[in-house]
Amino acid sequence: MSLSPSFAAKSFDDLPGWADDDHLPAFEAFRRSAFHASVKPYRSGALGVDFGAFAEAYAEARGVSCASRSEARAFFERHFVPMLVVPTLVGAETGAGLVTGFYEPQVEASPVRTARFVVPLLSRPADLADVDDANRPPGMDPYLAFARRRADGLAEYFDRGAIERGALSGQGLEIAWLADKVDAFFIHVQGAARLAMTDGRLCRVTYAAKSGQRFTGPGKILSQTGEIPLADVTMQSIRAWFKAHPERIDEILWRNRSYIFFREADVEDAALGPIAAAKVPLTPGRSVAVDRLLHTFGAPFYIDAPTLTAFEGKPFRRLMIAQDTGSAITGPARGDLFAGSGDAAGEIAGVVRNAADFYALVPRALAGSAS
């Protein structure tokens, strides 16, 4: 497997701010992927960064624990070569890549429905079937990866509007109940949440499956209809619009036909986020979601986003580890930065939409195969 032309070789001296970054939390995130990869290998991405080339770095990471940021920096410089990821995403207006942000909401919830808590988070229904080219019925939208299992075969699953109007009622799928429909929607968008239960427990829900239809974000709808200028669309501005127009919430949200189902999970370490697509807990400020078809989970990326200052009041220049993905994360120089859990993280994640340069740290064994 050879590296894609999407990679252009650089040196660590070429990375803006590399020497100023704290590489230690990135090493700890990388180490978590190293332990998982020893049990189940990650799939190699189409850009040619072969999972097998990480073997030496993973083995060392499992055997040592860096005690300082200088040791962590030396680890990455010893095992990897930085390569600029050349954007090929149509519409990359600045010629750079793009970063957005995501987080794990924390909301109050009830284990039972009450007069206040009326919005359910649902577990996966028994009639929801995985769909691929092997079992997709003729004429079914090839985008659909899930379908409804019926006696006469597979059909498109109920969409958001149908489910929220009661299509799945009476099946006992409710994991927890929330007080606010907009809170529930943003949990669907983020794919996970911490729930502060009214009985005193702190628990977590994470993604289990979805109804399968395409995602249509409310920000896109509100900008297209002239409600919010596109340049002003953030999670905060969307929430403010919903608060000012409660009678139109269903109208807007139901235009996003995709619906997410969840499973319960423990909060084992309050400092870490949920276990995501790479099967390790996300590290706030150090885990990034990437296009999993192109990139290999566990790979380090140095991201330079000079206009992004929401994380710590200065230009964002950090070493991140690829540990998640998302349907909106497409292209080689596209990433979604995990900001953490709770409202403060949400304030950061909600405003992130910045041009960025992506430098993939490629294992040295592969670096010579760039073409």
Side-chain angles (χ1 to χ4, degrees):
M1 177 179 283
S2 61
L3 287 178
S4 163
S6 293
F7 295 116
K10 299 291 179 179
S11 72
F12 283 103
D13 290 338
D14 294 326
L15 276 53
W18 171 258
D20 299 321
D21 189 25
D22 182 358
H23 305 84
L24 189 56
F27 173 80
E28 293 300 330
F30 181 82
R31 192 167 187 253
R32 280 186 275 274
S33 279
F35 278 106
H36 173 78
S38 68
V39 177
K40 185 174 181 181
Y42 292 128
R43 182 177 63 189
S44 298
L47 294 184
V49 178
D50 181 39
F51 166 79
F54 288 90
E56 183 178 338
Y58 279 159
E60 182 177 330
R62 289 192 295 266
V64 302
S65 181
C66 291
S68 68
R69 56 193 296 176
S70 62
E71 289 181 8
R73 175 183 171 182
F75 170 86
F76 288 108
E77 292 181 353
R78 185 164 58 252
H79 287 284
F80 298 97
V81 174
M83 293 194 171
L84 177 66
V85 182
V86 180
T88 59
L89 187 64
V90 175
E93 299 173 1
T94 66
L98 175 70
V99 289
T100 49
F102 72 112
Y103 77 113
E104 181 185 40
Q106 180 167 319
V107 299
E108 189 179 9
S110 171
V112 296
R113 179 170 180 151
T114 70
R116 178 186 171 201
F117 294 97
V118 297
V119 183
L121 298 177
L122 302 182
S123 60
R124 178 173 179 152
D127 64 349
L128 183 68
D130 291 6
V131 176
D132 56 26
D133 291 341
N135 66 344
R136 181 178 288 108
M140 177 175 280
D141 185 346
Y143 176 86
L144 297 177
F146 295 92
R148 185 182 175 205
R149 188 184 296 107
R150 304 189 308 187
D152 58 350
L154 297 175
E156 181 176 333
Y157 208 77
F158 300 116
D159 67 5
R160 174 175 297 276
I163 292 170
E164 293 192 352
R165 287 190 294 267
L168 300 179
S169 296
Q171 297 187 30
L173 302 175
E174 297 84 5
I175 296 174
W177 299 83
L178 308 186
D180 185 81
K181 179 173 289 189
V182 175
D183 282 344
F185 178 80
F186 278 105
I187 290 173
H188 282 227
V189 172
Q190 303 302 325
R194 294 186 190 186
L195 305 180
M197 304 298 286
T198 54
D199 59 11
R201 293 178 295 129
L202 179 65
C203 63
R204 170 178 276 146
V205 290
T206 62
Y207 170 91
K210 57 185 177 181
S211 59
Q213 296 87 358
R214 288 170 176 80
F215 175 84
T216 305
K220 179 179 180 180
I221 296 168
L222 293 172
S223 66
Q224 289 178 339
T225 56
E227 298 291 341
I228 304 176
L230 180 60
D232 296 336
V233 170
T234 63
M235 183 180 70
Q236 290 86 337
S237 66
I238 295 170
R239 281 186 174 274
W241 191 91
F242 281 139
K243 186 174 182 180
H245 303 86
E247 76 286 352
R248 296 187 64 189
I249 291 175
D250 286 342
E251 170 199 338
I252 301 301
L253 294 188
W254 288 353
R255 289 178 65 176
N256 172 47
R257 300 183 64 219
S258 177
Y259 189 92
I260 304 300
F261 301 104
F262 297 93
R263 61 178 179 83
E264 296 183 75
D266 295 329
V267 181
E268 296 179 356
D269 186 339
L272 298 176
I275 294 175
K279 307 304 180 186
V280 296
L282 297 176
T283 302
R286 295 292 170 171
S287 293
V288 60
V290 297
D291 187 333
R292 71 179 305 174
L293 297 179
L294 300 179
H295 295 299
T296 305
F297 281 156
F301 286 85
Y302 188 72
I303 297 177
D304 176 25
T307 63
L308 173 56
T309 59
F311 275 80
E312 51 186 0
K314 62 181 182 180
F316 187 95
R317 293 182 167 114
R318 288 191 187 182
L319 183 61
M320 310 286 287
I321 310 300
Q323 294 178 321
D324 201 5
T325 193
S327 58
I329 313 303
T330 57
R334 176 73 174 90
D336 208 16
L337 311 175
F338 180 62
S341 304
D343 292 343
E347 289 299 308
I348 295 172
V351 299
V352 178
R353 188 175 182 85
N354 299 78
D357 286 328
F358 285 68
Y359 297 88
L361 269 59
V362 175
R364 287 190 175 275
L366 289 176
S369 65
S371 57

